């Protein structure tokens, strides 16, 4: 397991993606899975950066673990920000046109659809969001 502790800022999204991709390189991660993981990181870390400590900036721990049989990437985001479970937000009605849909919620919906598992818990004053992707 590898960990990165970094400030929750939009500017740090690329650093988090690079950190995770560095771990994926050892496992010949297919480009489709890598792209889905990168999009999930962009969405989830971006949400933490925008909302967890607003208007301040605080730390986020990004943990990457890879398990065998089947090879699965587990990425956990841990912050001490405002408690928020993005999984409780109702999925957007994607059958409506863009003009008819409510703003927001599409990013987390895409993460839910592209990852094999996503979970959230608030424990000991921390938001803990975990995504899993079989590669």
């Amino acid at each position: 397991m590898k960990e990165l502790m970094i400030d929750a800022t939009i500017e740090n999204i690329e650093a988090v993606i690079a950190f995770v991709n560095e771990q994926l390189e050892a496992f010949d991660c297919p480009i489709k899975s890598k792209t889905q993981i990168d999009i999930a990181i962009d969405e989830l870390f971006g949400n933490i950066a925008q909302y967890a400590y607003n208007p301040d900036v605080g730390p986020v721990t990004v943990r990457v673990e890879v398990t065998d049989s089947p090879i699965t990437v587990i990425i956990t985001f841990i912050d001490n920000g405002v408690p928020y479970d993005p999984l409780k937000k109702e999925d957007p009605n994607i059958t409506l046109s863009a003009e008819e849909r409510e703003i927001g919620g599409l990013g987390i919906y895409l993460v839910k659809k592209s990852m094999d598992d996503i979970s959230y818990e608030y424990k000991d004053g921390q938001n803990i969001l975990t995504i899993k992707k079989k590669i």
Side-chain angles (χ1 to χ4, degrees):
M1 177 176 46
K2 301 276 185 175
E3 277 190 1
L4 171 70
M5 187 171 234
I6 194 165
D7 283 342
T9 64
I10 295 296
E11 295 78 23
N12 282 337
I13 291 173
E14 288 303 317
V16 174
I17 289 173
F19 168 72
V20 172
N21 285 337
E22 185 179 310
Q23 312 315 309
L24 297 178
E25 283 176 19
F27 298 94
D28 293 327
C29 183
I31 190 74
K32 180 180 178 184
S33 296
K34 183 183 159 306
T35 301
Q36 290 173 325
I37 291 167
D38 290 353
I39 291 168
I41 293 167
D42 185 279
E43 174 64 23
L44 298 173
F45 192 85
N47 281 348
I48 294 167
Q50 287 185 297
Y51 304 113
Y53 299 102
N54 194 17
D56 300 319
V57 173
V60 179
T61 299
V62 180
R63 199 174 280 159
V64 180
E65 186 177 354
V66 181
T67 62
D68 294 332
S69 301
I71 296 175
T72 303
V73 179
I74 304 163
I75 304 167
T76 304
F77 301 87
I78 304 167
D79 70 75
N80 302 316
V82 176
Y84 178 69
D85 182 354
L87 305 181
K88 285 189 176 173
K89 184 164 178 54
E90 192 173 315
D91 290 341
N93 183 346
I94 58 170
T95 62
L96 297 175
S97 69
E99 294 80 25
E100 295 175 303
R101 268 197 317 260
E102 283 187 39
I103 294 174
L106 197 55
I108 194 71
Y109 174 77
L110 291 172
V111 172
K112 286 183 196 174
K113 292 298 179 190
S114 64
M115 295 295 109
D116 293 307
D117 187 48
I118 181 168
S119 62
Y120 169 86
E121 70 175 323
Y122 186 77
K123 185 176 175 184
D124 300 327
Q126 296 181 314
N127 291 294
I128 304 167
L129 183 72
T130 303
I131 57 174
K132 295 180 183 177
K133 181 70 177 173
K134 293 178 188 139
I135 57 172

